[in-house]
Amino acid sequence: MTRTEDFEQLRPLLFSIAYRILGSVTEAEDAVQETWLRFQRSPAQPASAKAYLSAVVTRISIDVLRSARVRRESYVGPWFPEPLLTDPYEDPERSAELADSLSTAALLLLERLSPLERAVFVLRDVFGFEFAEVASAVGRSEAACRQLAVRARRHMDAGRPRFEADRRERDRLAGRFFDALRLGDVDRLRELLAADVQLVSDSGGKAPQWGKGIFGADRVARVLASIVGPFTRIGVVVEPRPVNGEPGAIFRDGGGKVVNTWALEIADGQIQAIRTVLNPDKLADVGPVADARAVIHEAARARRPAE
């Protein structure tokens, strides 16, 4: 097998590692491309292309994450990972770990870890690498990596909900939510929302957002019910589909361009959080991006006659 064939076979894995470390589609793709360039320049063929390439993409991702964290400190408003509609890597033996680690909630928990903790957790707990391989990838001893893994698991476990939803039940609840949203039914929406539900958006200062967020079942239900009519009148379409492996939706304007994405966090039989991404820089991988400000202003004008 040629180097190109080796690399292309492993590209989905490399992207999936980089995305979970970085939380960015764009940066993950760049990390994978840089990995290919280093592989091309390597004078000798490694004994294991998988071990070599995984180590390289991990080291690149750690370096990128360290500089990205500085930028995120000055980010305007809440920071969410870039939406990912489809994970290119599949492993039936680790499907549960792969799916759980892709959710927006899990990626936000990973943000609390140091870059090394994050890389060790991703390689070991998500992708099942042996500690010897993890140690080689991050440049630490196996003993140090075991300690990093323990700390990372402790932080991740502390932030997870006690009762995560069964996937089929979760999808059914999401379907009921979007049905109620289309109808603008405040009562039905309220029933599906946790008492302390959060509706929070990531605009990066480049699109309108709900301040620091909207909190509480009654307020969130009323806001959601109030926006559906005006958006429908101007041709906005809500397209339910998984976002980061969890129930979500893409909002498209009348021309099919992406206005924003929603990801629903569901646990304990209710929706705990609705996280929306409006920052146009984070939506390019989803499709052509609409001018969210123009769409929202048009919806506001469409709403006035009914008030």
Side-chain angles (χ1 to χ4, degrees):
M1 189 176 290
T2 67
R3 284 197 180 196
T4 300
E5 290 170 334
D6 275 339
F7 183 81
E8 289 304 324
Q9 185 177 64
L10 291 164
R11 182 190 287 272
L13 171 63
L14 303 179
F15 172 85
S16 293
I17 291 171
Y19 177 78
R20 285 165 174 80
I21 294 174
L22 294 167
S24 165
V25 174
T26 306
E27 290 174 342
E29 289 173 343
D30 289 345
V32 171
Q33 181 61 26
E34 177 61 25
T35 300
W36 163 243
L37 295 175
R38 295 188 189 185
F39 190 37
Q40 276 188 313
R41 294 195 296 265
S42 176
Q45 180 73 14
S48 167
K50 178 182 177 181
Y52 173 84
L53 292 169
S54 298
V56 172
V57 82
T58 297
R59 291 177 199 142
I60 292 170
S61 298
I62 289 172
D63 289 341
V64 173
L65 180 61
R66 284 172 173 151
S67 62
R69 286 196 160 193
V70 176
R71 295 195 304 274
R72 289 173 193 174
E73 288 175 0
S74 59
Y75 193 81
V76 178
W79 181 93
F80 295 155
E82 288 185 20
L84 183 67
L85 302 184
T86 305
D87 186 358
Y89 179 72
E90 296 180 0
D91 180 351
E93 293 184 0
R94 304 194 66 81
S95 58
E97 293 91 340
L98 291 170
D100 290 345
S101 66
L102 194 63
S103 72
T104 303
L107 291 170
L108 290 175
L109 285 176
L110 283 170
E111 280 290 303
R112 302 179 186 179
L113 307 183
S114 71
L116 276 178
E117 288 172 342
R118 187 165 180 164
V120 168
F121 182 86
V122 167
L123 291 177
R124 175 62 184 170
D125 285 56
V126 178
F127 292 96
F129 281 70
E130 298 297 329
F131 272 112
E133 298 171 305
V134 176
S136 174
V138 303
R140 295 292 189 276
S141 68
E142 286 188 47
C145 288
R146 291 180 188 277
Q147 291 180 335
L148 288 165
V150 168
R151 288 205 300 269
R153 288 187 204 115
R154 188 183 303 127
H155 286 301
M156 294 296 288
D157 289 343
R160 287 194 175 107
R162 288 183 59 194
F163 303 107
E164 296 189 44
D166 172 83
R167 291 191 175 276
R168 285 175 294 184
E169 178 58 31
R170 184 196 67 178
D171 292 342
R172 284 195 291 267
L173 192 151
R176 290 162 54 202
F177 169 79
F178 285 115
D179 287 342
L181 180 65
R182 291 189 190 94
L183 296 171
D185 190 326
V186 174
D187 292 335
R188 287 178 62 186
L189 286 168
R190 190 189 295 113
E191 290 174 0
L192 298 169
L193 302 173
D196 58 351
V197 66
Q198 305 174 31
L199 173 59
V200 188
S201 62
D202 171 346
S203 73
K206 299 183 178 183
Q209 67 179 50
W210 290 297
K212 294 183 178 180
I214 299 170
F215 306 92
D218 187 65
R219 289 193 65 204
V220 171
R222 291 183 182 281
V223 167
L224 295 180
S226 72
I227 65 175
V228 64
F231 276 111
T232 300
R233 285 196 287 274
I234 66 170
V236 171
V237 175
V238 181
E239 178 188 317
R241 65 168 299 166
V243 175
N244 284 86
E246 56 193 341
I250 302 171
F251 282 61
R252 299 185 186 274
D253 69 7
K257 292 184 177 180
V258 179
V259 179
N260 67 349
T261 62
W262 284 19
L264 309 183
E265 180 183 346
I266 298 174
D268 300 347
Q270 291 181 306
I271 296 170
Q272 306 291 327
I274 303 169
R275 298 184 179 95
T276 79
V277 175
L278 279 154
N279 185 341
D281 295 342
K282 293 186 174 186
L283 297 172
D285 189 64
V286 179
V289 182
D291 182 341
R293 291 186 190 278
V295 171
I296 291 170
H297 289 160
E298 186 180 357
R301 289 196 299 271
R303 182 180 181 180
R304 290 188 192 114
E307 296 180 336

